[in-house]
């Protein structure tokens, strides 16, 4: 195809806007309608040149996608709450199923634009009924796999019309949709320029004199068109789109797709949560990371979080975090036991409700407290007990060790603190045999540790020793 070929086709459509086409009246459904069976719609009318609906309505349509420019178009439409119609080619749709699903998920109308995008003079025998029917069938099979519904709208490439095309479209019950305003964005250069963008704006807004303009735009190009003849660049279309939307909205138009729907439904959102450590020592800090996304990052949205312990039936509200520019958020937590975390993005006019959950398992570290020292002393002497506190063989520095013993029927408590090596010394002067109980209190993630040490106090012999006598020496009576 050459540019002049496309230009002639667009001109022919524009000239036909005000006149009814006799060939559409003469078409009568035949056995092909029955063959269409499950794929048949009930909209066998056309050609339609204008936007549907009452009042002032405008329909934006995008042909020849999906391509890498389609997500950019979708983001702008979402930002302005504009529903549009995407006339996609079967070949591009089959090659980019993810983008096709994105168009549908956003709530736009999906329509057929043939499979190969060939013009009548590029097909041997032209656009016969059987040729167009096969093009529609192949395309609808790809599109219906995503929509799970019959495809009820069809736009012929270049606006070309033949009786065979209408016969095939009517057999599928499809409405043939043309346009009343062409943005001429198919002729844009390979780079973004202010002049090209403005030309698209000027052409697209020329529909302001109509009550129901239908604006033709493109988010791709026909598969067969050489890059040297028609550029695949659609950046100027993307750049022009916000101004086109503002123009029609400021002039009282309501945006609709070609089925008459207006306004976009809330976006399907995904909320994913991850933690670097799924199992941590109890009471230690870990960071939960989440992302919220729809067709792009969900930014500046409040996400509520709550917790639930094992065995609990309800969630306990914790608070809320806000998503950043990348749709991500972080929450630092210190679970004292196994805990499930739940994050909820509430439903809004723009986003559907989304939920994400993650569980954090905890464990506790055993504490070993050992005591060394004498087990007996003489009354009046002092006793020194050497204390060592470890967990998993690692010294516990700065731990407060509680020492309890009974003195004259009263429990007396003292404390010593371990040094950098986890050691401490306790000194006492017991007056009687004493059991020392030493305890390190529980401090998550460490369990409590206990040690005991008994010290016997031996009484001192207070009797004076007697001097030995010589043999034969009389002893005192």
């Amino acid at each position: 195809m050459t540019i002049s070929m496309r230009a002639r086709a667009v001109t022919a459509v524009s000239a036909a806007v005000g006149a009814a086409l006799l060939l559409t009246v003469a078409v009568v459904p035949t056995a092909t309608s029955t063959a269409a069976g499950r794929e048949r719609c009930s909209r066998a009318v056309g050609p339609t040149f204008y936007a549907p609906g009452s009042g002032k309505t405008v329909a934006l349509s995008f042909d020849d996608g999906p391509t890498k420019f389609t997500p950019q178009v979708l983001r702008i439409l979402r930002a302005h709450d504009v529903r549009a119609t995407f006339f996609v080619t079967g070949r591009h749709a089959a090659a980019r199923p993810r983008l096709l699903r994105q168009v549908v998920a956003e709530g736009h109308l999906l329509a057929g634009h043939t499979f190969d995008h060939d013009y009548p003079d590029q097909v041997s025998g032209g656009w016969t009924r059987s040729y167009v029917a096969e093009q529609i069938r192949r395309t609808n099979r790809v599109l219906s796999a995503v929509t799970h519904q019959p495809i009820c709208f069809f736009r012929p490439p270049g606006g070309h019309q033949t009786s065979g095309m209408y016969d095939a479209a009517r057999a599928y019950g499809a409405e043939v949709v043309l346009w009343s305003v062409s943005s001429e964005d198919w002729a844009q250069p390979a780079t973004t320029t202010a002049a090209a963008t403005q030309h698209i704006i000027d052409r697209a807004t020329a529909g302001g004199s109509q009550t129901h303009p239908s604006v033709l735009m493109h988010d791709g190009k026909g598969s067969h068109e050489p890059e040297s003849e028609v550029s695949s660049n659609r950046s100027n279309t993307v750049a022009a789109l916000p101004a086109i939307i503002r123009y029609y909205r400021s002039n009282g138009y309501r945006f609709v797709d070609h089925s008459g729907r207006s306004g976009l439904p809330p976006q399907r959102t995904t909320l994913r949560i991850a933690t670097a450590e799924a199992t941590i020592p109890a009471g230690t800090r870990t960071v939960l990371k989440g992302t919220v996304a729809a067709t792009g990052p969900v930014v500046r949205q409040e996400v509520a979080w709550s917790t639930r312990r094992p065995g609990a039936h309800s969630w306990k509200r914790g608070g809320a975090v806000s998503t950043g520019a990348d749709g991500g958020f972080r929450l630092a937590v210190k679970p004292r036991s196994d805990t499930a975390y739940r994050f909820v993005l509430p439903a809004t006019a723009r986003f559907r409700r989304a939920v994400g959950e993650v569980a954090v398992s905890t464990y506790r570290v055993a504490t070993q407290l050992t005591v060394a020292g004498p087990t007996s002393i003489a009354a009046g002497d002092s006793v020194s007990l050497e204390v060592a506190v470890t967990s998993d063989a690692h010294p516990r520095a700065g731990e407060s060790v509680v020492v309890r013993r009974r003195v004259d029927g009263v429990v007396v408590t003292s404390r010593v603190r371990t040094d950098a090596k986890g050691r401490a010394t306790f000194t006492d002067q017991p007056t009687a045999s004493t059991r020392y109980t030493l305890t390190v209190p529980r401090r998550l993630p460490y369990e409590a540790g206990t040690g005991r040490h008994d010290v016997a106090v031996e009484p001192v012999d207070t009797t004076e020793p007697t001097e030995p006598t010589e043999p034969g020496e009389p002893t005192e009576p």
Side-chain angles (χ1 to χ4, degrees):
M1 188 204 79
T2 65
I3 293 180
S4 59
M5 289 171 60
R6 180 187 282 269
R8 286 197 298 272
V10 171
T11 302
V13 171
S14 300
V17 169
L21 297 178
L22 296 179
L23 59 87
T24 64
V25 178
V27 176
V28 178
T30 64
T32 309
S33 299
T34 305
R38 294 185 300 271
E39 300 178 43
R40 179 174 170 77
C41 300
S42 57
R43 303 186 64 96
V45 296
T48 299
F49 294 95
Y50 295 100
S54 59
K56 294 175 69 174
T57 60
V58 56
L60 299 184
S61 59
F62 298 88
D63 287 13
D64 300 348
T67 70
K68 65 179 181 180
F69 294 97
T70 304
Q72 300 176 49
V73 171
L74 291 174
R75 281 194 291 271
I76 295 171
L77 296 176
R78 171 57 68 176
H80 293 273
D81 192 31
V82 171
R83 195 188 293 255
T85 304
F86 286 79
F87 291 92
V88 302
T89 66
R91 189 174 298 279
H92 282 170
R96 300 172 179 86
R98 183 185 63 81
L99 292 183
L100 196 66
R101 289 192 295 269
Q102 188 175 343
V103 171
V104 175
E106 278 290 281
H108 300 286
L109 178 62
L110 206 58
H113 196 43
T114 73
F115 195 89
D116 296 310
H117 200 276
D118 285 333
Y119 290 90
D121 59 357
Q122 295 175 312
V123 178
S124 177
W127 275 6
T128 62
R129 174 183 176 142
S130 60
Y131 169 80
V132 178
E134 177 63 10
Q135 288 283 304
I136 292 176
R137 186 194 67 79
R138 294 176 66 192
T139 303
N140 287 4
R141 184 173 58 185
V142 175
L143 306 191
S144 293
V146 174
T147 65
H148 304 293
Q149 295 177 353
I151 304 303
C152 298
F153 297 86
F154 172 76
R155 172 173 287 168
H160 289 284
Q161 301 166 73
T162 69
S163 59
M165 182 271 291
Y166 277 99
D167 281 344
R170 186 174 291 272
Y172 279 91
E175 180 175 335
V176 176
V177 179
L178 298 178
W179 58 88
S180 66
V181 179
S182 173
S183 67
E184 295 185 353
D185 62 342
W186 55 268
Q188 64 185 275
T191 58
T192 308
T193 68
T197 299
Q198 189 59 50
H199 178 78
I200 294 171
I201 295 172
D202 293 342
R203 291 293 305 169
T205 55
S209 60
Q210 302 171 8
T211 306
H212 304 288
S214 175
V215 183
L216 170 65
M217 305 180 78
H218 296 78
D219 60 336
K221 74 164 187 174
S223 306
H224 64 282
E225 297 171 325
E227 191 72 20
S228 60
E229 296 180 358
V230 178
S231 172
S232 60
N233 176 49
R234 293 293 174 260
S235 62
N236 291 288
T237 299
V238 173
L241 185 54
I244 296 169
I245 293 172
R246 287 192 296 268
Y247 170 82
Y248 281 105
R249 185 157 279 158
S250 66
N251 282 277
Y253 286 88
R254 178 169 58 93
F255 288 93
V256 296
D257 64 20
H258 276 283
S259 70
R261 299 178 302 173
S262 62
L264 291 175
Q267 294 184 80
R268 283 194 176 94
T269 52
T270 58
L271 199 162
R272 293 186 172 88
I273 306 295
T275 177
E277 300 172 286
T279 303
I280 62 171
T284 58
R285 182 178 183 272
T286 188
V287 176
L288 308 180
K289 298 179 181 179
T291 57
V292 187
T295 55
V298 176
V299 302
R300 293 185 294 278
Q301 294 292 316
E302 290 292 308
V303 178
W305 65 274
S306 52
T307 61
R308 186 168 66 185
R309 301 289 175 83
H313 297 290
S314 59
W315 292 89
K316 180 179 179 181
R317 179 173 173 80
V321 292
S322 182
T323 59
D326 60 350
F329 60 84
R330 294 163 58 92
L331 177 67
V333 297
K334 290 184 178 181
R336 299 173 66 87
S337 61
D338 293 357
T339 305
Y341 293 86
R342 189 185 201 193
F343 294 82
V344 178
L345 175 75
T348 65
R350 183 172 180 182
F351 302 108
R352 298 184 188 180
R353 184 174 183 267
V355 179
E357 295 180 11
V358 67
V360 178
S361 299
T362 60
Y363 64 91
R364 300 183 181 186
V365 183
T367 297
Q368 295 80 41
L369 190 153
T370 59
V371 186
T375 57
S376 65
I377 60 172
D381 288 346
S382 296
V383 62
S384 291
L385 303 181
E386 300 297 328
V387 183
V389 181
T390 59
S391 291
D392 282 347
H394 296 292
R396 296 265 300 279
E399 291 292 343
S400 177
V401 180
V402 179
V403 184
R404 293 184 176 87
R405 71 272 193 203
R406 186 175 293 276
V407 178
D408 297 330
V410 178
V411 175
V412 178
T413 301
S414 301
R415 293 177 184 273
V416 292
R417 189 170 294 278
T418 60
D419 59 17
K421 295 182 178 180
R423 299 181 179 278
T425 301
F426 174 74
T427 302
D428 191 29
Q429 189 174 26
T431 58
S433 295
T434 303
R435 166 167 286 183
Y436 295 90
T437 302
L438 297 90
T439 304
V440 177
R442 187 182 74 173
R443 182 173 64 84
L444 294 179
Y446 305 110
E447 295 285 8
T450 301
R452 291 184 177 86
H453 191 80
D454 294 327
V455 176
V457 177
E458 304 293 341
V460 178
D461 187 0
T462 57
T463 60
E464 294 183 3
T466 58
E467 294 183 3
T469 58
E470 292 293 332
E473 183 178 342
T475 59
E476 294 182 4

